Amino acid sequence: MAEPKRLIKNSDIWYFRRKVPKDIIATFGKREIKHSLQTSILSKAKSQFAEDWVKYEKIFEQHRKLIAGDTSTLTLKDVQILAERYVDKYL
């Protein structure tokens, strides 16, 4: 079975890997996202990969709105996450 090129296997565990779009690196705080999908089963990894891809698309869109000055769609949780990332990176 073919593997998506952003789905990486290290030892027996599958990992999600995705570049952060250049236009939001400053607010996102990273150039790349990589994390364990916590499974060694390819079919489960593909399913989790798809869910994570959609999740990050939404997060990227929120960052674009933040950059554009539109904060009307940010929730309190979004603000907390952004604040934590700022503190981790700059303080």
Side-chain angles (χ1 to χ4, degrees):
M1 186 181 301
E3 304 163 10
K5 66 180 182 177
R6 294 177 187 102
L7 189 58
I8 301 163
K9 191 170 188 180
N10 188 357
S11 297
D12 285 333
I13 302 297
W14 289 99
Y15 285 81
F16 175 94
R17 183 176 178 189
R18 182 170 184 186
K19 289 183 179 180
V20 174
K22 290 180 182 180
D23 62 323
I24 64 166
I25 289 174
T27 59
F28 195 81
K30 297 180 182 181
R31 294 186 181 278
E32 182 179 73
I33 301 160
K34 183 178 178 185
H35 65 270
S36 171
L37 296 173
Q38 300 180 348
T39 186
S40 59
I41 301 167
L42 182 56
S43 60
K44 288 183 181 179
K46 285 182 176 183
S47 176
Q48 185 61 46
F49 180 91
E51 289 176 24
D52 288 359
W53 188 273
V54 171
K55 176 181 83 172
Y56 283 109
E57 278 298 313
K58 291 176 183 176
I59 291 170
F60 294 163
E61 185 57 34
Q62 289 174 342
H63 280 269
R64 287 185 179 102
K65 288 179 179 180
L66 179 65
I67 291 168
D70 178 5
T71 57
S72 63
T73 59
L74 291 176
T75 65
L76 178 59
K77 178 116 175 117
D78 296 331
V79 173
Q80 289 171 334
I81 291 169
L82 290 172
E84 288 171 6
R85 287 185 180 152
Y86 179 84
V87 168
D88 289 344
K89 184 171 183 177
Y90 296 107
L91 301 178

